[in-house]
Amino acid sequence: MTETKTAVVTGSSSGIGLGIADGLAAAGMNIVMNGIEAPEDVEQARKQLEADHGIKAIYSRANMMKPEGAEELISAAQEAFGRVDVLVNNAGIQFVSPVEDFPDDKWQAIINLNLSAAFYTTKAVVPGMKKQGWGRIINIASAHGLVASPFKSAYVAAKHGIVGFTKTIALETAEDGITVNAICPGYVWTPLVEKQIPDTAKARGLTEEQVKRDVLLAAQPTKQFATVEEMAALAVFLCTDGAKSITGTALPVDGGWTAH
Ligand code: NAD
């Protein structure tokens, strides 16, 4: 394809999503940013992408917690660029609690954002990708899409769900030049991880330092947080022709966690 590609990255105003947006922009794609951080911070990040990589970036504040959010986001992409070539379903939240105390609204919010949002965005982009005969859908799952940890029932359920969804859509689009894969990060140092440390400390009766060392990195054999740049590198690779036969996979980037 000679035309400039357009990548839509949900939850790209922070953390892994912003890192992936930066990687795809560096690869020459126009970017549709999304997320709920302070608008002035997102605007700064948007301008930075354009300045650093000479591409065009727009921002949609569509709420991916709701089905209408997907339509709003994909319409914004179509309006600005007339196409969507790459969809990265990345927006996600976490909540940590024993199941008996797990608030119903937190369960629903996690299922809505971490799982259902990908259904709605995928449904919206697949017809265009089929028409183009080319597309890449990348779902940011988690090592928790492959194995479980206690106190994260909604998150683990949603992430296992998105791995199954990834395989299903890969099969449905396999003859259309579209690949669909899940990236399964271990612990990556981002605001999402930072925010869950106090709750995990409370749930397990530990200090925050003990949570980092003995809970989070206990399962990650490298004993190091992965980086957003590593997630971006894999996402960029999945968009190359070299990756065109990789579809329906769940690729761990987890420092050996799921080798246990
Ligand atoms: P983060 O908190 O830094 O970023 C989350 C992004 O989602 C932000 O841009 C935020 O604005 C956006 N978001 C939140 N609610 C939204 C809503 N209602 N509508 C639209 N956007 C919304 O988190 P992160 O660590 O970068 O996580 C990104 C993804 O990676 C998540 O799906 C997460 O489950 C997954 N993941 C993260 C880790 C990790 O260790 N950080 C590990 C495995 C998987």
Side-chain angles (χ1 to χ4, degrees):
M1 255 179 14
T2 49
E3 267 169 289
T4 302
K5 289 177 185 149
T6 299
V8 175
V9 187
T10 71
S12 47
S13 51
S14 165
I16 293 173
L18 182 55
I20 290 178
D22 189 69
L24 296 176
M29 297 185 201
N30 291 326
I31 302 293
V32 179
M33 296 179 73
N34 162 254
I36 56 168
E37 269 66 29
E40 58 277 17
D41 293 344
V42 186
E43 180 54 14
Q44 201 182 331
R46 190 193 67 76
K47 281 188 181 151
Q48 195 71 48
L49 286 183
E50 291 192 336
D52 288 350
H53 306 299
I55 49 89
K56 273 194 74 59
I58 64 156
Y59 166 61
S60 161
R61 205 176 170 79
N63 181 1
M64 302 310 294
M65 200 80 83
K66 299 184 167 172
E68 313 84 80
E71 206 182 294
E72 189 184 327
L73 179 65
I74 302 307
S75 299
Q78 287 291 357
E79 207 170 294
F81 302 116
R83 58 191 297 127
V84 175
D85 303 280
V86 175
L87 168 67
V88 183
N89 288 305
N90 165 79
I93 48 169
Q94 173 64 286
F95 191 79
V96 179
S97 162
V99 71
E100 61 272 34
D101 302 325
F102 211 100
D104 296 355
D105 61 337
K106 295 285 183 198
W107 169 275
Q108 205 54 60
I110 289 175
I111 298 297
N112 288 352
L113 186 63
N114 297 19
L115 178 58
S116 302
F119 162 72
Y120 292 111
T121 52
T122 300
K123 198 172 167 178
V125 302
V126 160
M129 288 181 175
K130 281 187 172 172
K131 213 181 277 173
Q132 289 161 202
W134 198 95
R136 294 287 186 267
I137 299 175
I138 301 170
N139 296 321
I140 307 306
S142 168
H144 282 126
L146 303 169
V147 294
S149 295
F151 312 124
K152 296 183 176 177
S153 52
Y155 188 85
V156 171
K159 295 299 189 182
H160 275 66
I162 196 117
V163 168
F165 181 69
T166 299
K167 293 178 188 174
T168 307
I169 308 310
L171 295 179
E172 290 184 23
T173 59
E175 292 184 60
D176 298 301
I178 300 170
T179 71
V180 189
N181 292 286
I183 295 179
C184 297
Y187 280 104
V188 185
W189 190 251
T190 69
L192 179 138
V193 168
E194 211 173 336
K195 275 185 257 167
Q196 70 185 277
I197 289 175
D199 289 343
T200 306
K202 204 165 129 202
R204 292 182 182 243
L206 300 172
T207 66
E208 296 192 9
E209 269 317 300
Q210 285 171 321
V211 168
K212 276 194 217 169
R213 194 186 58 240
D214 301 334
V215 180
L216 302 188
L217 294 179
Q220 199 145 305
T222 52
K223 301 292 177 208
Q224 284 182 5
F225 288 97
T227 65
V228 299
E229 289 79 12
E230 292 168 64
M231 306 306 139
L234 179 53
V236 169
F237 172 65
L238 287 171
C239 293
T240 64
D241 281 347
K244 75 179 194 299
S245 299
I246 300 176
T247 195
T249 69
L251 299 161
V253 188
D254 64 2
W257 176 349
T258 51
H260 280 299

